[in-house]
Amino acid sequence: TAPPARPEEEPFSVADPPDLMDDVDIASPPPSAALPSQGAPSVLAVPEADFGASFQDLDISAPPQSAGQPAPRFESKAVEPAVGGAASGSTSSSTDLHVVVANPAKQGDGMSAFFTYEVMTKTSLPQYAYGQFSVTRRFRDFDWLHSQLVSKYPGTIVPPLPEKHAAQVSTMRVSGVGCSSEWVEVRRAQLQRFLQRVAAHPQLHSVSDLQTFLEASDDTLEAWKQSSQQAAKASPYYSSVLTDVKSGLLSTYSRAATMLSAEPLPSFRPQEDMACAQMSNYADAMETQVAAVHRHSKRFIERHRALASSMSGFGLSLTQLANCEADINPSLARALSSMGMSVDRMSNLYDEQGAREGAAFEEPLRDYIKMIGAAKGAIGARAAALSSLNGAARSLTAKREKLDKLKGRSSKEEAAALTAREVREAESLHSIAKQEYEQVAARVDGEMARFQREKLADFKAMLVGFVTLQLEYSKRMQSAWRDLLPHLEGISDGPPPSAGGSGGT
């Protein structure tokens, strides 16, 4: 439901949990005009985002000559932070727009059941009506925002969302059994990561769709969705292009290329984009290798979890053996009991280590595979724009050649006039396609440069964190074994008492 109306003279605030929002120091601007409560959505104007970052600092080698050769390395000169600074990762929070997703709650029963989430925002950006506010959203609202960002800004690396139809949700709807608290928390964290990445994006953080998602009432958000849908329908060609880009398919351009290639046109030479091919090869290779690292790291972590289980049984068996020896050799029984308790504590350490390794390394790697997929989507948008440009260029070339053949022939004056008009239309379409390609190409250049910088910080944090965990738990394990050793060395060497007891003959 929409947040309750508040007097305009009072700032909009919510009672935030202290561990979520109170530690964020963002100056709250005085309230301005609030969003309308009814009618068409009217979000405050936001300056048009500038996506034209340069890609000239990137040093990328040529793509492989054949499929059998390895993909080239994709090295960036822009990944190192400035002197005295540090590269920020893809999960870094924005300093002027802080978003938290909290309080997941199940709504409804059966096949209509779903989860809602409270989205709490603190901001100092002037386009927002208040400095602190909250709304309630469900997954389809997050999915709408993601789709809008992909559609409106082709070539942008839009952060990934968790799976839309998770198996746990389907099971909950069919069986009526709720999802586990662990799964709900993971999904909440993934949705929060998505919003925080968008909020930290240098261009996306100021777009109107994000602002509407964060601060609009439910009615205003639905009205905004409908107006966006109508705007997309008003431009069917553009909508079709964006649908192809979002799904990672270039079917529209593939069909156009197939139709055009049916008629040979020797004079036409399609434009090539070597940088786009290099980026695509790099992204494919990185996706494969990160997936391999994730797969093997998962096995490594599972080994620690298996050790936790086996050591738990080991400790229990030692304790039971100590009970057997209690009346026969108390010294040995005490040592066995001490060892059993120590092994049981080490079992807990292995279990704790596996959980922390999963959260600090395995899960971020799995998430990074999705980020690479988002990067491939941006590269695919550039390839799609290039295909569109080449299709328009080829059509223009063909019409110009046709017009040249008709000129000077008195019997073809009407056909020549019609063809001349087609040439003018083709020139206009070619100009639009060229402008779109140049914008998308510049956007991808900047996005890939940013991706390289954030990748450096992200992987550094993951690797350092993983090795730090190994050192920490290795020391704790060594300490546990070291503390146990004196108890074992203190086992008495004296003869055990008679099994029949200490009574006389």
Side-chain angles (χ1 to χ4, degrees):
T1 60
R6 296 173 183 268
E8 291 186 0
E9 68 272 14
E10 296 182 5
F12 181 30
S13 62
V14 293
D16 300 319
D19 60 331
L20 294 177
M21 303 292 287
D22 290 347
D23 58 343
V24 182
D25 184 15
I26 298 181
S28 300
S32 56
L35 286 169
S37 59
Q38 59 184 4
S42 176
V43 178
L44 299 179
V46 180
E48 186 66 24
D50 180 13
F51 287 91
S54 174
F55 193 54
Q56 59 186 351
D57 290 335
L58 291 181
D59 179 18
I60 46 181
S61 56
Q65 299 300 317
S66 65
Q69 297 180 359
R73 291 190 178 276
F74 182 84
E75 298 178 352
S76 172
K77 298 175 182 177
V79 297
E80 293 294 341
V83 177
S88 59
S90 62
T91 56
S92 300
S93 298
S94 171
T95 57
D96 52 12
L97 182 61
H98 185 75
V99 184
V100 166
V101 178
N103 304 325
K106 180 186 174 185
Q107 307 292 338
D109 297 306
M111 296 302 295
S112 62
F114 60 92
F115 281 94
T116 59
Y117 306 86
E118 184 180 7
V119 180
M120 300 183 288
T121 305
K122 275 189 174 182
T123 182
S124 59
L125 294 176
Q127 62 264 33
Y128 285 86
Y130 301 101
Q132 183 174 324
F133 46 88
S134 71
V135 292
T136 300
R137 298 289 183 249
R138 55 185 296 184
F139 183 84
R140 70 181 184 186
D141 300 322
F142 289 86
D143 186 57
W144 169 83
L145 175 61
H146 182 270
S147 299
Q148 288 292 104
L149 298 178
V150 172
S151 299
K152 289 187 175 181
Y153 308 101
T156 302
I157 301 178
V158 179
L161 273 176
E163 290 75 10
K164 185 174 183 178
H165 298 292
Q168 290 85 347
V169 175
S170 300
T171 302
M172 176 191 70
R173 289 175 174 174
V174 173
S175 65
V177 178
C179 300
S180 69
S181 58
E182 180 181 0
W183 178 86
V184 173
E185 170 57 24
V186 169
R187 195 167 182 82
R188 181 210 62 78
Q190 291 172 339
L191 293 174
Q192 176 172 283
R193 183 188 301 136
F194 162 71
L195 284 182
Q196 290 181 345
R197 282 172 168 169
V198 173
H201 192 282
Q203 285 81 37
L204 294 181
H205 83 286
S206 62
V207 301
S208 56
D209 288 315
L210 175 63
Q211 179 178 348
T212 305
F213 175 91
L214 292 177
E215 73 175 352
S217 66
D218 290 351
D219 292 340
T220 302
L221 178 61
E222 290 304 316
W224 184 272
K225 289 180 182 179
Q226 293 178 7
S227 66
S228 299
Q229 187 177 11
Q230 292 172 357
K233 288 181 179 179
S235 180
Y237 169 77
Y238 189 58
S239 177
S240 175
V241 170
L242 297 178
T243 300
D244 287 338
V245 170
K246 179 184 177 184
S247 62
L249 303 174
L250 306 181
S251 57
T252 298
Y253 306 109
S254 297
R255 291 193 299 269
T258 301
M259 294 171 60
L260 292 172
S261 61
E263 300 179 4
L265 192 63
S267 60
F268 174 70
R269 294 290 182 271
Q271 180 175 333
E272 296 182 353
D273 190 339
M274 184 63 67
C276 184
Q278 293 165 348
M279 293 178 200
S280 181
N281 289 328
Y282 163 74
D284 287 340
M286 184 182 184
E287 183 179 46
T288 299
Q289 298 308 320
V290 171
V293 173
H294 171 259
R295 183 171 61 254
H296 290 288
S297 69
K298 187 175 182 180
R299 293 175 183 172
F300 178 83
I301 295 170
E302 287 173 349
R303 188 190 71 171
H304 285 162
R305 291 169 177 159
L307 277 172
S309 177
S310 61
M311 291 195 75
S312 177
F314 183 27
L316 178 60
S317 63
L318 286 169
T319 301
Q320 292 172 341
L321 178 58
N323 293 335
C324 292
E325 290 292 325
D327 296 332
I328 305 300
N329 193 326
S331 178
L332 177 59
R334 287 192 297 272
L336 289 170
S337 179
S338 297
M339 185 170 180
M341 289 187 292
S342 295
V343 169
D344 189 65
R345 285 193 293 269
M346 283 186 274
S347 169
N348 293 333
L349 284 179
Y350 274 122
D351 189 58
E352 179 184 309
Q353 180 180 6
R356 291 182 62 184
E357 287 171 339
F361 195 75
E362 188 262 332
E363 197 279 332
L365 275 179
R366 181 171 60 248
D367 175 73
Y368 225 86
I369 296 173
K370 296 179 182 178
M371 280 295 295
I372 297 172
K376 292 176 67 175
I379 298 169
R382 178 168 174 163
L386 177 63
S387 296
S388 179
L389 173 60
N390 281 329
R394 191 187 192 286
S395 176
L396 176 60
T397 301
K399 293 181 185 302
R400 282 174 173 172
E401 290 184 357
K402 181 180 178 181
L403 180 61
D404 291 340
K405 292 178 181 180
L406 294 174
K407 285 181 178 179
R409 298 172 62 179
S410 58
S411 61
K412 300 291 183 181
E413 290 181 357
E414 184 176 348
L418 178 61
T419 303
R421 186 177 65 183
E422 292 178 351
V423 168
R424 289 192 296 272
E425 293 175 352
E427 288 175 341
S428 177
L429 289 175
H430 178 266
S431 176
I432 294 173
K434 182 179 180 181
Q435 181 181 10
E436 177 69 14
Y437 166 69
E438 291 174 349
Q439 289 178 349
V440 172
R443 190 176 295 160
V444 173
D445 287 347
E447 287 291 276
M448 290 303 293
R450 186 176 63 87
F451 177 81
Q452 290 290 75
R453 291 193 298 271
E454 292 181 350
K455 181 194 68 177
L456 175 68
D458 290 337
F459 272 81
K460 178 180 179 180
M462 282 190 287
L463 296 174
V464 170
F466 182 78
V467 174
T468 300
L469 279 177
Q470 307 311 307
L471 290 173
E472 175 188 344
Y473 281 92
S474 176
K475 291 178 180 178
R476 293 173 70 177
M477 291 292 180
Q478 290 182 26
S479 177
W481 288 119
R482 189 180 300 110
D483 293 343
L484 171 64
L485 190 57
H487 295 278
L488 306 183
E489 292 175 339
I491 296 176
S492 174
D493 294 331
S498 172
S502 58
T505 57

